Amino acid sequence: IWPPAPAVDTGTKSEGVVSLAPPRVARHVVADIKPTGPIGPDQDTFEGWIDVGGRAIYLACLGVGEPVVVFEMDQGESGAEALNYAGKVSARTRVCYYDRPHVYGGYSDPVSGARTSQDIVNDLAGMLSGAGLVSPYILAGKSFGGMNAALFAAQRPNDVVGLVLLDPLSPDRVEVETEAVEIEAIDMDASAAQLQAAPKLLSVPLVLLTTDR
């Protein structure tokens, strides 16, 4: 049956960070519906789950070609929000988006406890490798997703050929722009510290886009 019911867990609490996600039931679908092989170079659509450390992470891709554009959405947003931007891009190259655990309407398996950008970067790297998507990638990050994309690029510059940041959330302004209660139970202070401590982005081309608010 498609689409499956969103996979969510009960809200989590850690160090004042609380998930606002509604109660969910873990699916643990990896063994049943993970891809049997990597995504083929001529496969113009893909929708399914990738095994990352025994958890199922939902991934969808449109188009063919390289470099692959990978969207990292804002806090609480499902990967499908990338479709607002991905249509024209997928006519020229492959575009992929995914669901982090606990996002609204997401299809990925849940995790317990608070998370940081480093956890997200580790999941993203494992997912891209598990899907057989060839690097280097173009990472497109929106707001909080920009912090994750920037951390990925700083730690893996050889795997990133370009970085596009839409209204990125600056680690210097986390306390101003975020609240203590977060939909994904993200530890924003720790995430900001991780980005600030990361190597400088010297070799990765960067495009910064802003919108009026």
Side-chain angles (χ1 to χ4, degrees):
I1 299 175
W2 189 262
V8 208
D9 71 353
T10 57
T12 58
K13 299 183 179 181
S14 176
E15 300 295 331
V17 181
V18 182
S19 173
L20 296 180
R24 308 189 184 199
V25 177
R27 288 182 293 106
H28 301 297
V29 295
V30 169
D32 297 327
I33 58 176
K34 70 177 181 180
T36 57
I39 301 172
D42 299 322
Q43 185 177 348
D44 59 358
T45 59
F46 171 83
E47 193 169 32
W49 287 264
I50 306 299
D51 182 352
V52 177
R55 289 183 290 111
I57 294 185
Y58 171 79
L59 171 69
C61 297
L62 304 170
V64 296
E66 297 176 359
V68 177
V69 178
V70 182
F71 279 88
E72 179 71 30
M73 302 309 296
D74 196 6
Q75 194 162 1
E77 290 186 340
S78 72
E81 295 291 331
L83 293 173
N84 294 324
Y85 315 97
K88 292 182 179 180
V89 180
S90 65
R92 303 180 61 180
T93 191
R94 174 167 285 151
V95 175
C96 296
Y97 57 89
Y98 76 107
D99 289 339
R100 297 189 299 264
H102 309 292
V103 296
Y104 279 126
Y107 295 133
S108 292
D109 279 347
V111 295
S112 61
R115 299 204 353 125
T116 67
S117 286
Q118 187 64 65
D119 296 317
I120 293 168
V121 165
N122 294 344
D123 278 358
L124 179 57
M127 180 195 70
L128 294 173
S129 175
L133 293 170
V134 178
S135 66
Y137 316 106
I138 295 176
L139 299 183
K142 178 185 175 187
S143 192
F144 170 65
M147 287 180 58
N148 305 329
L151 184 62
F152 185 105
Q155 295 178 342
R156 298 171 170 82
N158 293 334
D159 289 333
V160 180
V161 73
L163 193 59
V164 180
L165 303 181
L166 174 62
D167 291 329
L169 183 62
S170 169
D172 297 326
R173 300 177 61 192
V174 163
E175 292 183 1
V176 175
E177 296 187 2
T178 61
E179 300 177 356
V181 180
E182 304 292 353
I183 177 61
E184 294 182 63
I186 299 295
D187 187 331
M188 295 299 295
D189 289 336
S191 297
Q194 290 163 354
L195 182 55
Q196 290 171 327
K200 301 299 182 184
L201 286 168
L202 300 177
S203 61
V204 178
L206 170 65
V207 175
L208 179 64
L209 303 175
T210 60
T211 58
D212 293 330
R213 300 189 179 187

